[in-house]
Amino acid sequence: SRWHIGPTEEAPLYDLCAVSQHSGGLGGGHYTAVGQNWRNGKWYSFNDSSVSETSPERAVSPQAYVLFYRRRATAVAPEDATPTTAEEFVQ
């Protein structure tokens, strides 16, 4: 496949990009999230209809429930490069 990248000698690296958080007990509670905008690199806190800028340190907390990671890009030849945007993928 054009988008397949074969094995490399380097171990893949992943960066934390978002965390779903839960507060409360097993019978109920409240979910919030902290995530990084991949375009501007800033971190945001999401709580119902409220969104505010925050720090990546706020993503790491005892309320962390589900962690999301993004694999770092590896150096590949341009003709084999993995698309990073929808526009690149459809070209």
Side-chain angles (χ1 to χ4, degrees):
S1 164
R2 178 178 173 195
W3 304 113
H4 179 265
I5 298 175
T8 66
E9 294 181 20
E10 296 179 27
L13 293 176
Y14 296 86
D15 293 308
L16 183 68
C17 60
V19 176
S20 172
Q21 300 172 332
H22 180 263
S23 58
L26 294 174
H30 184 69
Y31 289 93
T32 59
V34 176
Q36 184 182 36
N37 179 316
W38 65 272
R39 288 186 181 256
N40 66 16
K42 294 181 180 179
W43 285 79
Y44 295 91
S45 176
F46 301 88
N47 187 352
D48 294 332
S49 62
S50 173
V51 178
S52 59
E53 192 172 333
T54 190
S55 67
E57 291 79 17
R58 291 285 311 261
V60 181
S61 74
Q63 290 78 30
Y65 184 67
V66 179
L67 285 69
F68 297 86
Y69 292 88
R70 177 179 295 136
R71 185 175 177 173
R72 286 189 190 176
T74 57
V76 294
E79 64 271 12
D80 294 332
T82 302
T84 57
T85 65
E87 291 81 13
E88 290 177 354
F89 188 79
V90 296
Q91 290 180 353

